[in-house]
Amino acid sequence: MMSHALYKLGRYAARRPWTVIGTWLVVSLLVIAAAGVFGQKLSDSMGAPGLDSQKATDLLARSNDAGLTAKVVLTPADGQATFSDSGPRAALGNVRAGAAELPNVLDAGDPQISADGRVAVIRLQYPVEEKLGPGDLENLKEFAGQVPPALRIELGGDLFFVFEVPETGLGEGLGLLVAILILLVTFGSLIAMGLPIGLALFGLALGISSMSLVTYLIDIPSWAPVIGSMVGLGVGIDYALFLVTRHREYLSSGLTVEESAGRAVATAGQAVVFAGGTVVIAILGLAVAGVPFMTAGGIAVAIIVLIMVVASITLLPAFLGLAGHWINRLAVRRVTVRTGGWERWARHVSRNAVAYLVGSVVALLAIAAPVLALQVGTPDEGALPATRTERRAYDLIAAGFGPGINGPLVIAVDISRDASVVEPLLDAVVADKGIAAVAPPDVNVAAGVATLVAFPTTGPQDDATLETVRRLRTDVFPSVLRDSPASAHVGGQTASFADVGAKVNDRLPVFVGAVILLSILLLTVVFRSIVVPLKAALMNLLSIGASFGVMVMVFQWGWGADLIGLESTVPIVPFIPMFMFAILFGLSMDYEVFLLTRIREEYLRTGDSDGSVVHGIATTGRLITSAALIMVSVFLGFVLSNDPSAKMFGLGLAVAIFIDATIVRMLLVPAAMKLLGNANWWIPAWLDRLLPVLDRPDEKSTQGVVPVDTFA
């Protein structure tokens, strides 16, 4: 039985701490060393099989045109001269010649000069990503520093997207510092504080190191470590917090260190296992989307969560065994746990259950309402801070050539069986009302591929650009290729993100349904109830919807954008809503599991539904509040990132956890459970017989601490 097995596991870890710690140390050193020697680079692919943009990418790879590019953007420094003048024109030629000599540059195209002669763009072609490294970006930056002062130079392009390392550390460090302060206030002991922090950092280091090894099985996206750090730090600290709190309660009742650790793992540890399991199930549900990079990112994050869960129920009790009664030493303040305030609050909510239930639901629906205006799109280099050279290059190009040049559509044509279609297709694309210009076609007869680069009249984030892509695919291409075996496909970043967004939106209802169903099944097994899981799912949907509403207010409407350093309004990245739903639904279940575990323990002991709810809130209110503050501080740390996507994840996760731990857990849950009464724990007898038994109630008591031993 699960709780009995966890009880024995916790006792063993506390009794043989060096064996457990040594095993973890050996495994960790092997993983980290293997990652350093054999680890592979993470992927930046954003495509998906079957999409038209992916077909374009595959064709370009066949013609060796799928490598990275960089943009060198120049303008006369004095703001008066133009490239029609002999001096700037000669300097431009020298820059092009010098750029062509850079290592790994395959071609430096002829400069494109704006109509007013003030902006020039040189596009550098590099080979595929696997043949390049961060040194190529550094070489380009160093070259830019040598350009004559008569010209102003800015840089951008794929090379930055792949190899530029964003400035990180400050926000994450501040979030971690706040978490340390919260733990000190909660525990009042340096040792008790250090255990959750140390466990989370250890698990995070091991999890992120393992990603470069998992790439041998599946391509892990390069952004997975950022999301993994957010989730890993949050759950790692929280899981350890719940276990250490239970352990200290048992120690204070007079239990031995081994017995206390065993019982803490059997009770709080069981909640950790099922909370972590819910998180993993929700995240792995991303596979329903049918988008490989999302599935791979989910697997990477799920691995980190699993490491945190296993470390919490094995490594942490080993350290508890080593610490012994010293866990309460090195006190920085005396902590007296008072539950009276939380108990009074729970009774107050119970007396006014209808008002709090209706008021909370109305408030959450109001906050979630803006989600109806949610727009997915691609935050491009124009969303970066003005301090970044990519943003300045973006602005110069848009000013000189129009907004569409920053979001080119790369049209790949399969001419292996008919090469005569290139010119008619070029004429048809040029004639389209949404196309401003088309570069001369690049025809690779040997590979059977022709490439057309078309520049829309509108910007990458405009709906009109997506309409142009749709029109090319459904009207323009068929009109030219109707009687030809040739085929044409629209690729490029703008088209790729639009295709992925459309596929994600199509799969979203199935994904949401699958995650909710699996979570309900898991909670039904844990709590032997039909009502509790359904209520948990509905309330989690409300908190997640509210977090999405806040994201729309901030990122699309610009409310409070200056507070988080957002330069301009941006659409929501296509894959973020689904990815965030998976993470948030899992994390929201954490507090539900921890709270309901205490409520169920009391209900099994007394049979008093109302009293068990009050007891659950009274005993977990302070703990859940502390845990939520830790998660919120960790997530908000990522809002300080320069990357709009990281800001979206950080803000969305922080808002959802805050709402979940306040409005949902402290208002909605007690109000709803009060009104439902004993119906909370109803389950059909036939279903109860079918479900596996995970614990075994016992009549023994433990010195008044836990009246029912589910692990004895």
Side-chain angles (χ1 to χ4, degrees):
M1 299 177 193
M2 176 68 73
S3 56
H4 184 60
L6 289 176
Y7 169 69
K8 293 194 295 184
L9 179 62
R11 276 185 62 93
Y12 175 83
R15 186 170 62 250
R16 304 258 192 246
W18 290 116
T19 300
V20 176
I21 293 171
T23 302
W24 270 98
L25 185 61
V26 170
V27 171
S28 302
L29 290 177
L30 288 175
V31 170
I32 293 173
V37 177
F38 304 109
Q40 299 185 124
K41 187 178 180 296
L42 303 187
S43 170
D44 285 294
S45 173
M46 303 293 272
L51 299 180
D52 190 69
S53 54
Q54 185 62 47
K55 293 177 182 178
T57 299
D58 295 340
L59 278 176
L60 293 173
R62 197 170 84 190
S63 67
N64 294 321
D65 287 335
L68 303 183
T69 62
K71 293 179 290 188
V72 179
V73 185
L74 302 121
T75 186
D78 62 5
Q80 301 298 320
T82 69
F83 287 107
S84 299
D85 301 330
S86 58
R89 186 169 62 249
L92 178 62
N94 292 334
V95 170
R96 176 178 179 271
E101 298 298 322
L102 289 173
N104 288 326
V105 170
L106 302 179
D107 179 59
D110 292 331
Q112 291 178 273
I113 299 177
S114 62
D116 62 6
R118 298 186 183 280
V119 180
V121 180
I122 302 172
R123 298 183 183 274
L124 306 182
Q125 182 66 52
Y126 286 85
V128 292
E129 179 183 336
E130 289 73 18
K131 297 181 181 180
L132 301 172
D136 292 288
L137 179 59
E138 294 305 315
N139 289 336
L140 181 60
K141 289 180 178 179
E142 183 178 344
F143 170 76
Q146 300 171 358
V147 168
L151 294 179
R152 171 190 165 193
I153 183 171
E154 304 294 350
L155 307 171
D158 301 338
L159 205 63
F160 280 84
F161 178 77
V162 174
F163 295 116
E164 181 74 326
V165 179
E167 296 179 7
T168 58
L170 176 60
E172 295 89 324
L174 288 175
L176 195 59
L177 178 60
V178 174
I180 290 173
L181 293 176
I182 294 171
L183 287 172
L184 275 176
V185 172
T186 302
F187 289 141
S189 164
L190 289 173
I191 294 178
M193 174 275 295
L195 288 176
I197 295 295
L199 184 82
L201 292 177
F202 169 79
L204 192 60
L206 180 59
I208 290 181
S209 297
S210 68
M211 288 186 187
S212 63
L213 298 177
V214 178
T215 53
Y216 283 96
L217 302 176
I218 187 171
D219 292 332
I220 302 297
S222 59
W223 44 263
V226 176
I227 309 304
S229 297
M230 289 188 201
V231 179
L233 279 176
V235 301
I237 294 174
D238 272 12
Y239 292 166
L241 170 63
F242 287 113
L243 274 159
V244 172
T245 299
R246 267 295 177 98
H247 175 64
R248 296 178 85 198
E249 289 178 9
Y250 288 132
L251 282 180
S252 67
S253 71
L255 294 181
T256 64
V257 172
E258 288 182 18
E259 183 70 11
S260 174
R263 295 185 180 228
V265 174
T267 52
Q270 180 172 267
V272 165
V273 169
F274 286 110
T278 306
V279 175
V280 171
I281 287 174
I283 294 175
L284 292 182
L286 289 166
V288 174
V291 181
F293 74 84
M294 289 180 62
T295 302
I299 290 173
V301 176
I303 288 173
I304 291 180
V305 174
L306 281 175
I307 290 174
M308 295 300 183
V309 170
V310 176
S312 295
I313 60 176
T314 57
L315 184 60
L316 181 59
F319 280 116
L320 294 177
L322 278 183
H325 289 279
W326 274 86
I327 194 169
N328 294 318
R329 305 285 179 84
L330 300 181
V332 294
R333 62 184 290 268
R334 182 177 179 83
V335 176
T336 302
V337 178
R338 297 184 178 91
T339 60
W342 289 106
E343 182 176 343
R344 287 191 297 272
W345 174 255
R347 294 190 185 281
H348 168 72
V349 173
S350 295
R351 288 193 301 269
N352 302 276
V354 174
Y356 276 111
L357 180 66
V358 173
S360 299
V361 170
V362 170
L364 289 178
L365 289 175
I367 299 173
V371 78
L372 298 175
L374 188 146
Q375 295 180 340
V376 296
T378 311
D380 49 34
E381 292 172 333
L384 295 174
T387 55
R388 296 273 293 271
T389 184
E390 307 101 294
R391 167 63 186 275
R392 296 193 295 269
Y394 181 98
D395 291 343
L396 278 175
I397 292 174
F401 298 90
I405 199 168
N406 278 308
L409 306 178
V410 183
I411 301 171
V413 189
D414 185 349
I415 58 171
S416 56
R417 291 180 294 169
D418 184 3
S420 65
V421 300
V422 176
E423 290 301 323
L425 192 63
L426 173 63
D427 294 338
V429 173
V430 169
D432 185 85
K433 64 180 181 179
I435 300 298
V438 181
D442 180 9
V443 180
N444 188 329
V445 177
V449 179
T451 306
L452 307 177
V453 179
F455 301 100
T457 57
T458 49
Q461 299 177 21
D462 296 337
D463 291 339
T465 302
L466 302 184
E467 177 60 26
T468 297
V469 172
R470 185 204 62 77
R471 192 168 53 252
L472 290 175
R473 290 169 173 170
T474 60
D475 298 338
V476 176
F477 295 167
S479 68
V480 177
L481 305 177
R482 183 179 297 108
D483 300 321
S484 172
S487 62
H489 309 278
V490 183
Q493 190 180 73
T494 301
S496 295
F497 270 91
D499 289 350
V500 170
K503 185 165 188 176
V504 168
N505 287 339
D506 289 343
R507 298 292 184 92
L508 189 58
V510 177
F511 165 73
V512 171
V515 170
I516 291 175
L517 178 61
L518 288 173
S519 300
I520 287 175
L521 289 175
L522 182 60
L523 291 180
T524 300
V525 172
V526 177
F527 295 112
R528 322 296 294 188
S529 166
I530 293 293
V531 177
V532 164
L534 290 173
K535 173 183 62 63
L538 290 174
M539 291 182 180
N540 288 344
L541 285 174
L542 282 174
S543 63
I544 293 170
S547 72
F548 283 0
V550 171
M551 287 174 59
V552 171
M553 295 179 206
V554 174
F555 292 96
Q556 291 183 205
W557 298 352
W559 296 6
D562 292 341
L563 298 177
I564 64 170
L566 189 66
E567 293 284 323
S568 60
T569 58
V570 294
I572 307 301
V573 176
F575 66 86
I576 281 184
M578 183 178 284
F579 211 100
M580 277 190 58
F581 179 87
I583 295 173
L584 288 175
F585 198 88
L587 293 181
S588 296
M589 285 295 184
D590 280 2
Y591 300 136
E592 184 79 6
V593 169
F594 289 122
L595 172 59
L596 290 178
T597 297
R598 284 293 182 101
I599 293 175
R600 183 170 181 264
E601 287 176 2
E602 185 68 8
Y603 180 75
L604 290 175
R605 186 179 73 87
T606 65
D608 180 1
S609 178
D610 293 350
S612 64
V613 174
V614 172
H615 174 79
I617 296 293
T619 54
T620 64
R622 180 172 178 270
L623 191 59
I624 287 179
T625 301
S626 299
L629 285 174
I630 289 171
M631 272 205 183
V632 169
S633 64
V634 169
F635 294 151
L636 285 180
F638 288 85
V639 175
L640 299 179
S641 168
N642 285 333
D643 182 4
S645 299
K647 289 181 184 291
M648 289 180 193
F649 271 113
L651 183 65
L653 292 171
V655 169
I657 294 301
F658 175 79
I659 290 175
D660 190 77
T662 54
I663 298 177
V664 173
R665 299 303 148 217
M666 297 301 137
L667 294 177
L668 271 178
V669 169
M673 295 191 76
K674 162 66 178 179
L675 294 174
L676 289 169
N678 288 329
N680 284 300
W681 309 108
W682 176 80
I683 186 171
W686 63 267
L687 179 58
D688 190 46
R689 289 192 297 269
L690 290 176
L691 296 177
V693 178
L694 302 180
D695 55 24
R696 180 175 61 201
D698 188 287
E699 296 301 323
K700 297 184 296 182
S701 65
T702 308
Q703 302 182 18
V705 179
V706 178
V708 177
D709 289 341
T710 60
F711 47 80

